[in-house]
Structure formats: C-alpha cells, structure tokens
Amino acid sequence: MPEPASGLWRSQDMVLLQLHMQREAAHDTIFKLGQLGCVQFRDMNPNTSAFQRLFTGDVRRCEESERRLRYFEDQLKRAKDSTHVTTVVDSATGETLDSLEPKLEAMESELKDLNSKWEQLLVQKNSMKEHYEVLTQPPSFFRGEDDAGHLQVAHQADDASEPQGFRQGGLRYLTGVISSDRAALFERLVYRATRGNMFMRTVTAKEQFEDPATGDMVEKTVFVVFFSAQRAFDKIKKLCESMQATLYPYNIDSPQEVQQTTLKVSDTMRDLDTTIKVTKDVRADIVEKVKQNLFLWKKTVLVEKSVYDVLNQLSFKGQTVVAECWAPKEDLDNVQRALVEAEKSSGAQVQSFMDPIETHDQPPTYFKTNSFTKIHQSIVDSYGIARYKEINPAVFSCMTFPFLFGIMYGDIGHGFIITLVAALFIWKEKQLLASNINEIIAMVFGGRYILILMGLFAIYTGFLYNDFFGMMISPFGENTFWVFPHDKEEWKTMCGDDYNYWFGGKEANALQACKVIGGSPYILGIDPNWCETENKLEFYNSLKMKMAVILGVIQMSGGLVLSLLNHIYFMILVKWNTDWSERFRTEIDLPGASTPGPHFLRAPSLLEAQTNFFLMPGSIETDAYVFVGAGFQNMVQVGLLLCSLVAVPLLLIPIPVIEYLHNKHTSYGELAEHHEVQGLMHIQDLSSSSESRNVGGDDEHPAAEQHEAFDMSEVVIKQVIHTIEFVLGCVSNTASYLRLWALSLAHAQLSEVFWNFAMIMPLSMDKGTGVFAFVGFAVWFFASLMVLCGMESLSAFLHALRLHWVEFQNKFYFGDGTQFVPYNIKDIDELAKPDIATE
C-alpha cells in the first residue's frame, strides 16, 4: 500500500495503469496524454528490435521530414536578413504529418532547383567578372616591366616551335585569377616548378566575389606568369588546375580584340545580373514563407515522431491496444478525462478505460518542485535519484546547504556581493529566461535562488564573525567587556584580579585580555577587541574548529537518528559554558608533582581528551578534567568506550540472525526446491500462450516471479561490510566537518591579507597624490572580486556539496531509485526552436 505524505518530503504516490483503447483512438490518446504530461509509458515490447516495430515506417517519415527542415534551417542561415523566426503558433492551424509531408517535399524540390540555377548563374557571373578584371588591367601589367621600363625576366625564348599561350617579345605568358589566400603559395610553386625561369606579377582584384557554396565574399588576385619554355607552360597549367586558378586569354598585341572582348563580357554580366536578381527574388519569397512556418512545422514533426515512438511501445491485439504507464495518484482523474476526449476526437466506437494493476516493481520517484526547490532537488539528484517513498534530502539541504556555505564563507561584504548578484538575476528573471544568455552565466542564473540564500547566510555569519572584507568591525558600538592592561596597577584597578597568576610570568607589555568589572558581553558575534590581541589567530582557530565539530555532530545525528556521537557535542558545550576563570582560582594538590605546593586547575585540551579517549582510556591529567573530578571522568569515559565496543556486535549480529529466522519460518528454501521444475514449466507454458495471443508485442506481465535462494554467507558478508563502513564513518565523517573550520579560517586570513597589503600599505605610501590609493583600491577590488567572491565561493560551494553528499546523505539516503520521466509534449517547444543564428 503506498505510503502517504506525498510531496517534497516523500515522493508522490504512483500507480501503474493499464490503458485499453480502440486502435483508431491510440494516436489521439497518446497525443492527449502527452499534452497532459503526467504519465510515463512502459515498453511492452522489450524483446522486439526497433526495425520490427509497427510504426517504424512512420518514424522514418518523420526523420525524413526532419532532414528537410534542417535543410531549410541551413538556407535561413545563408539568408543574412532572416535571423528572426516566428515562434508563435496559431492554434487554428491544425497541421498534421500527412498534410505537411507533401508540402515540405515540394518546397524542398523547388528550393533546390532555384539554388542550383542560382549557383550556376553565380558561377558564370564570377567567371565573367574574373575575365573582366583581367581585361581591364593596364597593358604595362602584361609586359612584365618595372617602373624604369626594363624587362624583369631570367631567360629569353629560343627558336623552338610556337607554344600554346601568348607571346611577349621572346617570352610566353599566361594570365588568370586565383584566390588571394593561395596567391603566395601559387607563386612559390611556380618558381620551384620552373626552377626560377619565370617572372610573375600580381594585383588584387577591384571587386570581391561571392562564393556560390557559402555565400561569403572572397577576395581574388589577378596574375600573369612569364616563362620561356614549352615544358614550363605544361607545368604551370597543371599547377593552375590544382590550385583552382582560372586562366583567361589576353592578347597584348591586339588592343582592338581586347576592347571587343571587354564589351562582350560587360554585356553578358548585365544579363546575368538581371537573371540572378529574378531568381533571388523567387528564392527570397520561399525563404520568407519558410521563416514564418518553420517553428510550427518542426514542432509538428517532432510531436508526431514522439507519438509514434510511444505507439511502438504499446501492445496491439487486433483492434485493441493495451498500454501500461506510471501516473501520480492525484492525476488519475485528469488521465480519465484525457481518455474520454481522445475517444470523442477520434470517433472510436469502443470506450477507452484504465485499470490500476498490482506490481512488485519499484515505482519511479516523482517530487513536485517549483522555481525555488528545483535547484536543491537537482543537487540531490546529481548524487542519486531517491528510492520510491524515501525521505528527500532536499528538504534539509534547502537550508543546511547555504548555511554550511555561510559558515565557510562568513563575510558581510562578500556575502552582500553574492546576494546582490542573485537578487539581480531574480529581478530580471523573465527577461533572462526569454533571451539567449552565455552558457556560464546561464549556469549561475539557474542557481539564483540557492545563490541568494548563500549570500544571506554569508552575511549572517559575517555578523557573527564581525568580519567585513577582512576587517573587524563594531556594528553595535564599542563594548566594555574586555580590556588590555599593560601594568600591574592598571590590571588590579580595571579587573580586580591577581596579577601574579594572570600574567603567569609573561612580560608586562604583552596584551592579555581580562574582563572589566561590571562589563557585559558583546551584543552579537565575536568581540571586536579580539582583533587587537596577539593570540587572535589561536582564538579563531579554537572557536571555529569546535563550531565545525558541533555542526557536524548535529547534522550527522539528524541523518543517523542515533545519539552515539552526542558525547562529543556534550563535551564541547560543557567546555564553552564552564566559568574557567573560577576554575583557574581553584587550588588542588597534585601527588608526584615536580614542584611541591598547591596547583591551579587548567583548561583541558579537547583534541587531547578525544584522542586519549580511545588510545589511553582512564588516563586523565589530574589538573585538566572536565567533570567534577578526574576519577569520575575516568569512569564516564571508560563506560562510554565499553558502550561503543558493545555497539559493534549489536550492529553486526542481529540482522543476519533475523534474516535466518525469517527464512526458516517461511520455509521458502524447501518450497523453492520442491516446485522449481514445475514452476519453470508453468512459466514456459504461459509465455508461449501469451505470445500466440499478442500481435506486435511481447508478454504483458511475467507469469511467475523468480525468487533468489537464501544465502546466509552473503547476508553475513554484507552486514560485516556495512558495520565496518559505519564504524569508520563515525570517526572519519566527524573529522571531515573540520573543513568548515579550515575554510572559514582561510577565508578570513586571506581577506585580511588582501586588505592589509592592497589597501593599507598603498595608503601609507601615498603622499597626497592619490595614485597609490587608486592603484591599491583597484588591486584590492579585483582580487576580492575574482579570488574571494569567485574562487573562494566556488571552493566553499564544493565543500558544502561534499558534506551533504558524503557525510550527511549516506547515513540514510540510498539514491538508487528511478526518475519519473513523463511523456510531455511541452518539452518539445524548446527543441522545436530553429537554430538559425548567422555566424
């Protein structure tokens, strides 16, 4: 029976439904349920390959339509003025795959014909333009003369027979056009092929040329190569072919022929321009129509493909279709209404109905989330999907995650910056969701709600630390609780204590804090006067380490629901709430002390006490105990140690014994051995009969359930591993929470270093010019922004994530469930948006 309390605390109650419908209503039913978006279909044909399913042909039709739509997108990318595509769909336009497929086919054929004609015309135009560029070059370009009129050649022609190409005096020459990015390489190749017996001149074409393949404008170069031998002509011609250079005739000895050819080429170019313009206008009309309907067409094709993919998972028995799906219990009424609507729209004669069915399969896990809880749930799901009806760790991590982040990142200034960024994202949420933003910014934007909590908790803990950009501040005024006397008289006057004990032999000028008579503690957080002491780092180190252990014990105790680690927490609380100044005045006699006479009690070391708890039980220094006396504390520690040793067999033994007794009580082992052969034969009979009844599907349900034989050794080994992991985890996980202490201390010290060296030092060096102050502030600002607000926040985030995943969640969270993935047509809207951004 499903457990209640569905929602975020535990997953939604799920029901396995069996839907029965007429074959004609199957398509509309799947479509209506997809619009509802609350059912997850199960594949009833797991043993059937994708090529043998009933609607494979329809899926291929959809894929062919997708190919045509991708071709249309490519055409829109080439159209520079068609970067905006309409994504608003008129509900009155009821496009279907049957009506859309011939339309896309005809439009693709027409567009391809136009593109082919346009490319051919453009190639002819480019050829005419290249020839025109050659013809319009001055005659001196083809004579190979320098500015002084001298011929720049290596060799003159011999009296051999007349070669192909034109001659200039005793030399032969070839002229043509090549792409500018290949001109330099072409010249080097010609030089090597002719062994230097050549002379080449180049000039950049006056106009650029449109590439028919890409539509980009390409720069080209006009060249002329002078040579003397016939063999050189053959080599140069082959190089022109390989380098995609085009050769054009030019007779320098016949100016009249050159002029007539120029006029002819010019007339041909004008005719080609007119034809290209008409072709381009017709193509633009088709592209405009595509631009207005591409989103609708793409969405229609994707929806139809998804419907046919689901239909391939159903079982068809003649005119009856059977489907199995998971659905939340609270949405059963909506599913029933969708069945009725699909039945009416399809005109089916047989009523569709649904039946809940019993199953031993684990249902999928489904949590209802909103914009705030979605990011927290995604963090938990990254570790593992919750088992069905398992407690959801996201309920706790909504607050504990940003709180632990704040413990490690406590600073009022840095927390304010993070809060400000998150608040800006939330304020501009709708605009940013509708726009295409950078991938990294989109990742930060997705965590805007957890980011603002992280910033607020950082501000809160910053007030507890009284830390503002690495500076100790006094937001609640000066306090009068601690003072720092420098001599005996001042100490006795202000504090009223014995100087000899308090100073303990230290120099009189050392800053030793004492409580003011009648003073009161600071209102909130750490006393700001600690920043003036020599042992402030030692104080912060001790304070934050103990706080980390306390928080770790609290969080792990919540995950374990055990009180085994409460003694650590109790010990720290006792130490913080004990009036050690009164204990310091207590005199006791220490037997065997090196110096005779009374001795004062001293504060015990927490780390030393915890270490000796296991390594040296019962050995407590007489002058450093926590409880009433050292003897009583020895008894308590030994008793707790014995309890921990007894707890190990209690963890190890009971579960295997209970499993063994339960198996013996049910006598399942004997029943399985007795009915093994009969059960297998019965399964085969049911399977064969069920296959004969199904058309296009496999078995609906297994005829019998397979049970594994009980293995006592496997149970014992599993429990031993679990016990070892638990015992070691109690120690290692507690120590892991010390990262709260380490990162908090590192962040505070790094902030202080940046402030002292980037702000205080330049200000002391500045002599009124303001240059050092400006440079120092710039360095401090960017260092704080990039290192402290960027890198340090990411480090604290990752450590808080590890504490939740490893130290907290593994105490109670299995994370081996399956995600509820409903069939939802609304998810296709994002996929249907065309990607036509021009490069």
Side-chain angles (χ1 to χ4, degrees):
M1 180 178 179
E3 186 178 352
S6 296
L8 191 63
W9 173 254
R10 296 188 186 274
S11 60
Q12 291 281 318
D13 293 329
M14 305 299 294
V15 180
L16 181 60
L17 300 176
Q18 191 174 73
L19 310 180
H20 298 265
M21 66 201 81
Q22 191 176 343
R23 191 184 187 102
E24 288 75 10
H27 183 280
D28 291 350
T29 301
I30 301 302
F31 180 75
K32 291 292 183 181
L33 293 176
Q35 289 181 324
L36 190 61
C38 66
V39 295
Q40 177 182 340
F41 290 93
R42 295 210 309 180
D43 190 1
M44 302 183 66
N45 312 305
N47 298 325
T48 304
S49 65
F51 302 101
Q52 297 175 345
R53 306 210 176 193
L54 294 179
F55 297 93
T56 301
D58 298 284
V59 173
R60 289 178 177 175
R61 289 171 54 202
C62 296
E63 292 175 350
E64 179 64 19
S65 297
E66 284 186 272
R67 184 196 60 78
R68 294 190 176 102
L69 292 173
R70 287 194 296 270
Y71 174 75
F72 293 156
E73 288 185 11
D74 293 337
Q75 298 303 310
L76 287 175
K77 289 180 180 179
R78 295 181 59 180
K80 306 299 184 182
D81 56 344
S82 300
T83 57
H84 177 70
V85 176
T86 302
T87 57
V88 179
V89 179
D90 186 3
S91 59
T93 59
E95 284 282 6
T96 63
L97 182 63
D98 294 333
S99 63
L100 183 60
E101 192 174 18
K103 185 187 300 183
L104 296 180
E105 183 178 1
M107 190 171 294
E108 181 193 23
S109 177
E110 184 178 2
L111 195 55
K112 283 186 175 180
D113 291 341
L114 288 174
N115 286 336
S116 178
K117 294 178 181 178
W118 178 77
E119 289 178 0
Q120 293 176 4
L121 292 172
L122 190 58
V123 169
Q124 295 178 16
K125 179 185 175 182
N126 288 340
S127 179
M128 293 295 103
K129 284 181 62 177
E130 291 176 354
H131 197 182
Y132 186 80
E133 289 286 345
V134 173
L135 294 172
T136 54
Q137 295 300 322
S140 59
F141 177 76
F142 299 97
R143 294 192 178 96
E145 297 176 351
D146 58 9
D147 296 337
H150 300 99
L151 193 62
Q152 302 294 323
V153 295
H155 296 279
Q156 295 292 333
D158 52 16
D159 296 334
S161 59
E162 181 72 13
Q164 301 179 23
F166 294 92
R167 300 173 62 91
Q168 168 63 24
L171 293 178
R172 303 169 182 87
Y173 65 91
L174 290 174
T175 182
V177 179
I178 190 173
S179 179
S180 296
D181 56 354
R182 298 191 185 97
L185 177 60
F186 177 71
E187 184 173 2
R188 289 196 297 270
L189 291 176
V190 171
Y191 182 84
R192 293 181 180 179
T194 60
R195 298 184 178 181
N197 296 320
M198 52 76 69
F199 172 66
M200 181 173 174
R201 301 191 69 179
T202 60
V203 63
T204 304
K206 300 175 183 177
E207 297 183 8
Q208 291 184 332
F209 297 78
E210 184 177 358
D211 189 351
T214 62
D216 298 331
M217 302 304 294
V218 180
E219 190 178 73
K220 294 194 175 184
T221 300
V222 181
F223 68 89
V224 58
V225 182
F226 297 91
F227 56 92
S228 60
Q230 171 65 27
R231 289 182 301 175
F233 171 81
D234 297 334
K235 293 179 180 180
I236 295 173
K237 189 174 181 180
K238 290 181 180 180
L239 286 175
C240 291
E241 294 176 355
S242 63
M243 297 294 292
Q244 299 180 3
T246 309
L247 298 176
Y248 295 98
Y250 186 92
N251 192 354
I252 189 62
D253 297 328
S254 179
Q256 185 176 3
E257 180 183 349
V258 172
Q259 184 177 5
Q260 291 177 356
T261 306
T262 304
L263 294 176
K264 184 179 179 180
V265 170
S266 180
D267 294 339
T268 306
M269 289 174 55
R270 283 194 294 269
D271 295 338
L272 288 173
D273 286 336
T274 304
T275 307
I276 289 175
K277 184 178 182 304
V278 174
T279 306
K280 197 172 183 178
D281 291 341
V282 176
R283 180 177 175 272
D285 294 338
I286 299 177
V287 170
E288 182 65 24
K289 185 178 180 180
V290 170
K291 183 176 68 173
Q292 297 298 327
N293 297 278
L294 183 59
F295 176 75
L296 171 61
W297 294 343
K298 193 171 183 180
K299 181 179 179 181
T300 301
V301 172
L302 292 177
V303 168
E304 289 293 319
K305 183 181 179 182
S306 65
V307 171
Y308 287 123
D309 285 335
V310 175
L311 288 174
N312 279 330
Q313 301 177 14
L314 309 186
S315 176
F316 288 81
K317 302 178 181 179
Q319 294 298 316
T320 303
V321 182
V322 180
E324 290 183 359
C325 60
W326 290 102
K329 189 175 182 180
E330 63 180 13
D331 290 327
L332 294 183
D333 294 337
N334 296 330
V335 175
Q336 182 61 47
R337 282 195 296 269
L339 293 177
V340 175
E341 293 176 2
E343 176 190 339
K344 293 180 180 178
S345 62
S346 63
Q349 302 299 321
V350 180
Q351 182 180 3
S352 302
F353 62 93
M354 66 179 184
D355 286 329
I357 58 177
E358 296 292 335
T359 180
H360 294 284
D361 295 341
Q362 180 176 332
T365 303
Y366 173 50
F367 294 106
K368 277 191 173 181
T369 58
N370 52 31
S371 299
F372 175 76
T373 59
K374 183 178 180 181
I375 178 62
H376 300 279
Q377 190 63 53
S378 64
I379 291 177
V380 173
D381 291 343
S382 299
Y383 177 82
I385 305 299
R387 183 180 293 182
Y388 180 64
K389 286 301 177 183
E390 186 178 10
I391 293 176
N392 186 14
V395 176
F396 305 99
S397 64
C398 286
M399 290 294 118
T400 58
F401 186 90
F403 175 69
L404 293 184
F405 174 86
I407 293 296
M408 294 181 284
Y409 196 74
D411 190 285
I412 300 174
H414 300 149
F416 177 77
I417 294 177
I418 295 178
T419 305
L420 188 64
V421 173
L424 181 63
F425 280 143
I426 296 175
W427 182 39
K428 298 291 185 179
E429 180 176 353
K430 294 183 179 180
Q431 295 89 324
L432 293 175
L433 286 175
S435 61
N436 294 326
I437 56 179
N438 181 271
E439 183 178 356
I440 298 179
I441 299 178
M443 180 177 59
V444 180
F445 172 73
R448 58 194 177 280
Y449 289 105
I450 192 173
L451 198 65
I452 194 170
L453 288 178
M454 290 161 55
L456 292 175
F457 275 106
I459 294 175
Y460 168 71
T461 53
F463 275 106
L464 295 183
Y465 301 154
N466 278 331
D467 202 357
F468 182 80
F469 288 119
M471 299 178 291
M472 184 68 73
I473 60 175
S474 302
F476 302 102
E478 298 292 337
N479 86 84
T480 57
F481 192 66
W482 294 99
V483 293
F484 306 94
H486 293 81
D487 52 42
K488 301 178 182 180
E489 291 73 14
E490 185 179 358
W491 193 291
K492 292 181 179 180
T493 303
M494 302 181 65
C495 304
D497 286 321
D498 188 3
Y499 163 79
N500 292 326
Y501 169 73
W502 284 100
F503 269 69
K506 294 184 178 181
E507 296 180 1
N509 60 355
L511 289 176
Q512 300 293 323
C514 74
K515 292 188 293 185
V516 179
I517 301 177
S520 60
Y522 198 69
I523 298 177
L524 178 65
I526 298 175
D527 196 323
N529 283 334
W530 275 107
C531 68
E532 303 177 11
T533 62
E534 295 179 348
N535 62 336
K536 66 175 182 178
L537 185 59
E538 181 181 353
F539 168 73
Y540 289 152
N541 184 43
S542 176
L543 172 68
K544 294 182 178 181
M545 180 189 65
K546 295 180 177 67
M547 182 171 60
V549 174
I550 290 178
L551 295 175
V553 171
I554 293 175
Q555 189 174 36
M556 288 191 299
S557 299
L560 293 170
V561 197
L562 295 172
S563 59
L564 186 60
L565 300 178
N566 282 344
H567 65 285
I568 302 176
Y569 172 64
F570 177 73
M571 182 185 299
I572 299 175
L573 288 183
V574 169
K575 184 172 181 180
W576 278 3
N577 289 280
T578 300
D579 187 3
W580 294 103
S581 61
E582 184 65 27
R583 287 175 58 100
F584 290 151
R585 300 183 180 91
T586 304
E587 297 182 1
I588 61 173
D589 292 327
L590 295 180
S594 58
T595 57
H599 290 74
F600 291 100
L601 292 178
R602 58 186 179 87
S605 172
L606 179 65
L607 294 178
E608 183 180 351
Q610 288 180 329
T611 304
N612 294 336
F613 190 95
F614 294 95
L615 300 180
M616 303 173 60
S619 60
I620 299 178
E621 298 184 16
T622 312
D623 60 341
Y625 55 83
V626 178
F627 298 108
V628 178
F632 177 73
Q633 183 173 339
N634 280 332
M635 295 175 57
V636 172
Q637 290 192 7
V638 171
L640 292 177
L641 181 60
L642 293 176
C643 291
S644 63
L645 295 178
V646 172
V648 175
L650 290 178
L651 290 172
L652 180 61
I653 298 175
I655 292 181
V657 173
I658 293 173
E659 290 283 347
Y660 174 76
L661 295 176
H662 176 71
N663 178 74
K664 185 177 181 181
H665 176 71
T666 57
S667 301
Y668 172 72
E670 297 178 0
L671 291 175
E673 183 179 358
H674 183 268
H675 295 290
E676 182 178 2
V677 178
Q678 291 82 350
L680 291 176
M681 294 177 61
H682 182 58
I683 291 172
Q684 293 176 356
D685 294 340
L686 290 178
S687 178
S688 60
S689 62
S690 189
E691 288 179 358
S692 63
R693 292 193 303 266
N694 286 343
V695 179
D698 297 330
D699 298 344
E700 295 182 29
H701 305 286
E705 297 181 356
Q706 299 292 332
H707 297 275
E708 296 181 0
F710 179 76
D711 189 355
M712 184 63 181
S713 61
E714 182 179 352
V715 175
V716 172
I717 293 174
K718 181 178 180 181
Q719 189 63 22
V720 169
I721 295 174
H722 180 71
T723 303
I724 295 175
E725 180 183 7
F726 180 84
V727 173
L728 295 179
C730 290
V731 180
S732 63
N733 292 347
T734 304
S736 182
Y737 275 89
L738 293 178
R739 68 185 68 243
L740 298 175
W741 150 60
L743 265 74
S744 176
L745 200 63
H747 181 80
Q749 293 302 308
L750 194 59
S751 301
E752 184 177 353
V753 168
F754 283 162
W755 177 258
N756 290 333
F757 285 91
M759 283 295 293
I760 302 300
M761 184 180 296
L763 287 176
S764 62
M765 297 171 59
D766 193 86
K767 303 301 183 181
T769 61
V771 176
F772 288 94
F774 176 78
V775 174
F777 174 79
V779 172
W780 171 82
F781 178 78
F782 285 105
S784 299
L785 195 64
M786 301 301 295
V787 178
L788 297 178
C789 293
M791 298 173 60
E792 280 283 305
S793 62
L794 180 60
S795 175
F797 179 90
L798 295 177
H799 282 284
L801 189 64
R802 183 245 156 74
L803 289 176
H804 280 78
W805 279 0
V806 179
E807 277 67 38
F808 176 58
Q809 290 182 191
N810 70 347
K811 300 298 185 297
F812 66 96
Y813 188 60
F814 288 96
D816 57 353
T818 57
Q819 182 73 44
F820 177 65
V821 184
Y823 171 58
N824 194 347
I825 290 179
K826 295 180 181 178
D827 296 337
I828 299 178
D829 289 348
E830 189 66 27
L831 299 175
K833 291 182 179 179
D835 181 18
I836 61 168
T838 57
E839 299 179 357

